[in-house]
């Protein structure tokens, strides 16, 4: 059996190694290497100063936490749009209403822009129909993603029907006509549109107009 005094010496030696300045330097070097190997998509990594042993220092040399961020220099700030589920934000009863929030396109159709990205050629908006309606026949040059938030809608050329919570992916090049039934009091869906929206003639199939973020 190992003598108890030997165990005490081993514990004391380990305590000595931890407080040895050379070992502290090696520990900090290992931590820095670990941080450098983190994947670039990690938003932030913080090591509180209380977790790293510090030598006593004067008030002018206070220890600081190590903070890294993945955002490159010159990156655009985040876009935060509150209360997107307040679909009637422009009602007169709302003291904070702003008529520019929803942009009217027809008597029954309006949209609310959330993001315009001209550098990558896409936009995100909310599309709202009141009392049913039709968005003319069109197709997209690039993929489109849609998420239904309220009401229901579909495409004349498909047999599926989107209801709240339905996600839809539209492949590029597909031609369709968006329809909202007249008995639907209000429909709201979020669309992520990449590239151009090309309006197509019902008779000839020719392109008669377009929308895009530019």
């Amino acid at each position: 059996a190992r003598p108890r005094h030997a165990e005490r010496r081993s514990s004391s030696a380990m305590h000595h190694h931890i407080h040895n300045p050379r070992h502290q330097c090696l520990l900090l070097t290992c931590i820095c290497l670990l941080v450098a190997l983190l994947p670039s998509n990690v938003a932030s990594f913080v090591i509180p100063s209380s977790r790293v042993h510090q030598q006593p220092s004067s008030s002018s040399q206070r220890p600081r936490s190590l903070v890294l961020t993945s955002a490159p220099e010159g990156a655009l700030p985040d876009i935060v749009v509150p209360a997107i589920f307040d679909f009637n934000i422009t009602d007169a009863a709302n003291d904070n209403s702003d008529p520019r929030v929803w942009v009217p396109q027809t008597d029954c159709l309006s949209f609310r822009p959330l993001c315009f990205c001209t550098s990558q050629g896409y936009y995100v908006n909310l599309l709202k129909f009141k009392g049913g309606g039709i968005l003319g026949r069109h197709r997209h040059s690039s993929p489109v993603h849609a998420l239904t938030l309220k009401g229901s809608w579909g495409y004349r050329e498909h047999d599926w029907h989107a209801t709240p919570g339905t996600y839809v992916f539209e492949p590029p090049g597909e031609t369709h006509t968006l329809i909202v039934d007249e008995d639907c009091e209000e429909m709201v869906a979020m669309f992520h549109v990449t590239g151009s929206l090309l309006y197509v003639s019902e008779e000839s199939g020719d392109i008669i107009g377009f929308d895009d973020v530019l």
Side-chain angles (χ1 to χ4, degrees), residues 86-104 110-113 128:
D86 186 357
F87 304 132
N88 299 313
I89 197 169
T90 59
D91 287 351
N94 188 339
D95 294 337
N96 297 319
S97 64
D98 187 340
R100 296 171 300 176
V101 172
W102 289 97
V103 181
S110 58
F111 71 92
R112 180 181 180 182
K128 178 168 70 172

Side-chain angles (χ1 to χ4, degrees), residues 52-211:
V52 180
H53 179 76
Q54 298 282 349
Q55 292 290 344
S57 58
S58 63
S59 58
S60 62
Q61 295 179 341
R62 295 178 180 176
R64 295 181 299 174
S65 299
L66 178 61
V67 180
L68 299 181
T69 176
S70 62
E73 184 178 355
L76 295 175
D78 296 341
I79 296 177
V80 180
V81 182
I84 66 168
F85 287 101
D86 186 357
F87 304 132
N88 299 313
I89 197 169
T90 59
D91 287 351
N94 188 339
D95 294 337
N96 297 319
S97 64
D98 187 340
R100 296 171 300 176
V101 172
W102 289 97
V103 181
Q105 287 189 299
T106 67
D107 292 340
C108 63
L109 170 63
S110 58
F111 71 92
R112 180 181 180 182
L114 300 178
C115 173
F116 292 120
C117 183
T118 57
S119 62
Q120 298 183 35
Y122 72 84
Y123 60 90
V124 181
N125 68 6
L126 299 180
L127 194 70
K128 178 168 70 172
F129 276 87
K130 280 185 171 291
I134 298 176
L135 178 61
R137 195 174 187 217
H138 64 277
R139 65 171 171 263
H140 299 275
S141 62
S142 301
V144 173
H145 304 269
L147 178 64
T148 309
L149 305 179
K150 182 179 181 181
S152 60
W153 62 280
Y155 287 131
R156 177 185 294 163
E157 296 78 10
H158 293 278
D159 57 3
W160 53 261
H161 211 62
T163 55
T166 301
Y167 163 79
V168 178
F169 168 75
E170 302 175 15
E174 179 184 284
T175 302
H176 45 231
T177 308
L178 193 155
I179 297 179
V180 178
D181 296 333
E182 292 183 1
D183 59 356
C184 179
E185 181 179 348
E186 185 175 67
M187 187 284 289
V188 181
M190 183 173 71
F191 283 86
H192 181 293
V193 180
T194 308
S196 299
L197 185 154
L198 308 172
Y199 294 99
V200 179
S201 169
E202 294 276 359
E203 294 78 20
S204 64
D206 296 334
I207 297 174
I208 57 177
F210 71 94
D211 288 332

